[in-house]
């Protein structure tokens, strides 16, 4: 009989490396996919996933099993992505005064991003709240109720956001067809 994630998390929180390894084996790929959708690039997703995994042993001590382990882990990922965005915004504000060199560097980075496939580009065009909702519901295969719990919003808001995402993606596709 397979040990539940919740039982493994409780055991891993006490320092059991084997339990921690089983949890990572079960959830790493899904966690990476969620991080990819939250960040938009493979390199950033790898960094974020590794940061989460490195911090997870300490965070497990705070896991209270009020939600499924997977739901709790996705909430940790969403919070980590938000923290990373805030840090990046702070760094961008600090770099504003660097003059032409910084502007050229940012332009080069923007050109590199244009090489993404259509869906990646379309997802990045969505507001952060819509992108986070898509990442939870589609990539993490969560129900709207589970996504609502992870994102800290109501289930109805998740449903509305998904409807809004579909509407915006259709509009983007139609606009491209006209060009």
């Amino acid at each position: 009989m397979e040990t539940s994630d919740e039982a493994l998390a409780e055991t891993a929180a006490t320092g059991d490396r084997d339990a921690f390894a089983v949890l990572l084996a079960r959830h790493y790929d899904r966690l990476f996919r969620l991080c990819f959708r939250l960040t938009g690039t493979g390199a950033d997703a790898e960094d974020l996933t590794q940061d989460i995994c490195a911090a997870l042993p300490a965070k497990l001590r705070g896991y209270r099993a009020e939600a499924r382990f997977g739901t709790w882990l996705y909430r940790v990922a969403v919070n980590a992505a938000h923290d990373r965005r805030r840090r990046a915004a702070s760094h961008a504000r600090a770099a504003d005064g660097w003059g032409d060199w910084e502007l050229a560097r940012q332009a080069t980075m923007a050109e590199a991003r244009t090489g993404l496939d259509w869906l990646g580009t379309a997802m990045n065009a969505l507001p952060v709240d819509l992108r986070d909702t898509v990442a939870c519901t589609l990539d993490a295969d969560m129900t709207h109720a589970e996504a609502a719990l992870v994102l800290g919003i109501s289930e109805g808001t998740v449903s509305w956001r998904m409807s809004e995402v579909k509407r915006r993606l259709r509009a983007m596709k139609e606009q491209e067809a006209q060009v």
Side-chain angles (χ1 to χ4, degrees), residues 5 23-38 45 48-49 52-53 68-75 77-78 134-143 146-147 150:
D5 289 342
L23 278 174
L24 281 185
R26 286 184 187 175
H27 292 277
Y28 188 87
D29 290 341
R30 291 180 74 201
L31 178 62
F32 175 81
R33 284 193 312 268
L34 175 63
C35 289
F36 182 81
R37 286 297 174 208
L38 292 172
L48 182 58
T49 304
I52 292 166
C53 290
R68 287 185 337 174
F69 175 77
T71 302
W72 175 84
L73 181 60
Y74 296 139
R75 183 66 194 162
V78 168
V134 169
C136 287
T137 56
L138 295 182
D139 291 337
D141 290 329
M142 290 183 194
T143 66
E146 290 169 333
V150 167

Side-chain angles (χ1 to χ4, degrees), residues 100-113:
D100 294 341
W101 177 83
E102 177 63 14
L103 292 175
R105 187 184 73 81
Q106 288 182 4
T108 301
M109 289 171 43
E111 288 174 12
R113 283 191 297 268

Side-chain angles (χ1 to χ4, degrees), residues 7 23 40 49 55-57 62 66 72 78 88 90 110 113 124-125 147 149 152 177 179:
L23 278 174
T49 304
L56 202 53
E66 293 172 358
W72 175 84
V78 168
S90 294
R113 283 191 297 268
N124 285 333
L149 183 63
V179 173

Side-chain angles (χ1 to χ4, degrees), residues 11-179:
T11 305
T14 66
D16 186 314
R17 292 179 182 200
D18 293 332
F20 185 73
V22 171
L23 278 174
L24 281 185
R26 286 184 187 175
H27 292 277
Y28 188 87
D29 290 341
R30 291 180 74 201
L31 178 62
F32 175 81
R33 284 193 312 268
L34 175 63
C35 289
F36 182 81
R37 286 297 174 208
L38 292 172
T39 63
T41 67
D44 287 342
E46 287 174 16
D47 289 345
L48 182 58
T49 304
Q50 290 300 311
D51 290 348
I52 292 166
C53 290
L56 202 53
K59 290 192 177 292
L60 278 170
R61 291 183 200 108
Y63 175 64
R64 294 184 302 271
E66 293 172 358
R68 287 185 337 174
F69 175 77
T71 302
W72 175 84
L73 181 60
Y74 296 139
R75 183 66 194 162
V76 168
V78 168
N79 287 340
H82 287 189
D83 290 345
R84 184 175 283 250
R85 286 184 198 119
R86 282 190 289 272
R87 282 192 305 274
S90 294
H91 290 149
R93 282 191 302 276
D96 279 345
W98 288 33
D100 294 341
W101 177 83
E102 177 63 14
L103 292 175
R105 187 184 73 81
Q106 288 182 4
T108 301
M109 289 171 43
E111 288 174 12
R113 283 191 297 268
T114 60
L116 295 173
D117 65 357
W118 184 87
L119 184 57
T121 302
M123 291 300 294
N124 285 333
L126 294 173
V128 170
D129 58 338
L130 296 179
R131 194 175 351 157
D132 291 351
T133 304
V134 169
C136 287
T137 56
L138 295 182
D139 291 337
D141 290 329
M142 290 183 194
T143 66
H144 286 200
E146 290 169 333
L149 183 63
V150 167
L151 296 171
I153 57 177
S154 73
E155 186 174 346
T157 301
V158 172
S159 296
W160 176 84
R161 284 181 180 178
M162 289 305 297
S163 176
E164 182 67 11
V165 165
K166 290 175 188 175
R167 185 189 68 75
R168 288 183 184 208
L169 291 178
R170 271 191 229 105
M172 286 179 205
K173 193 68 172 171
E174 290 172 8
Q175 186 177 14
E176 280 185 6
Q178 294 174 357
V179 173

